[in-house]
Amino acid sequence: MQLTRGYSSDAAISPFLPMRRTVAKAERAGLSVGDYLDRYSAEPGATAATVEAMLRLGGLEKGVERVCEIGPGSGRYAAPVLTALQPRSYEVYETAADWIRYLRKEFPQLTVQPADGHTLRHTATESVDLVHSHKLFNYIPFVATLGYLAEMARVVRPGGVVAFDVMTEDCLNDAATTTWLDHPDRGIIYSLTPRRWALDFLARRGLDLLGNHFVPLSGMRTELLVFRRR
């Protein structure tokens, strides 16, 4: 058992995997936390493949000035992005207190911004080269995702990149729907985001779709969407 302190009834700040238990299981398995989470909820190498696709679609290379990530959790996406881009500044918004402690210890180069579960209020408008989020919008309420998408469009600079994965209608193939029907308790935790709506919503805010990449998730998949700000 792990005792954690509750501090919000906001559904957008719900706890996910507990840090201590997750780190302990990774150590017992002889894996890094990132590799353990890939095996737990996706497939080996899924995180690396996702980051590679994001960088390739976004045309991102070493020397990016500022990066912002929403919901970094264990830092499994931050680590390869830091290595590949070597940004001058990398700020994160995380609501889980235990994972914040972990991030500060394992990634001291990150700037942990105060997070309210809805906004990026401590990041200036048109100030970042890349703003991204992974394995978050599939779990939080749609209204919270809506707010974050608007904020991502606000903080990215002209020519900058916005990237995130969501569960769209294109993710609901026969395998996914069979999984949900066979395990309704699993399907109830996910939040869907209409693909056409998301593209139109962001297009009205100056973001053009560069490409997509499907990402495995617990027998199903999510869709990584990568945009550039006009």
Side-chain angles (χ1 to χ4, degrees), residues 31-42:
L31 299 170
S32 68
V33 174
D35 287 345
Y36 169 77
L37 290 172
D38 271 356
R39 192 178 72 171
Y40 173 81
S41 64

Side-chain angles (χ1 to χ4, degrees), residues 7 19 21-22 46-47 50 80 82 90 97 104 107 110 122 148 205 213 219 230:
Y7 60 94
M19 182 272 289
R21 187 190 310 166
T22 303
T47 295
T50 300
L82 283 165
Y90 196 121
R104 284 179 168 150
F107 302 93
L110 300 182
H122 298 278
Y148 274 137
R205 286 158 177 78
H213 172 78
R230 290 194 293 271

Side-chain angles (χ1 to χ4, degrees), residues 23-97:
V23 172
K25 288 183 176 181
E27 291 175 348
R28 287 197 296 269
L31 299 170
S32 68
V33 174
D35 287 345
Y36 169 77
L37 290 172
D38 271 356
R39 192 178 72 171
Y40 173 81
S41 64
E43 60 186 38
T47 295
T50 300
V51 171
E52 188 280 330
M54 177 179 70
L55 299 181
R56 172 176 48 81
L57 292 169
L60 296 165
E61 298 177 345
K62 186 182 298 184
V64 165
E65 284 288 304
R66 296 192 65 189
V67 175
C68 177
E69 183 178 356
I70 308 169
S74 66
R76 60 175 166 145
Y77 294 95
V81 171
L82 283 165
T83 299
L85 301 183
Q86 299 181 14
R88 177 178 59 83
S89 171
Y90 196 121
E91 57 187 72
V92 297
Y93 286 80
E94 175 59 59
T95 61

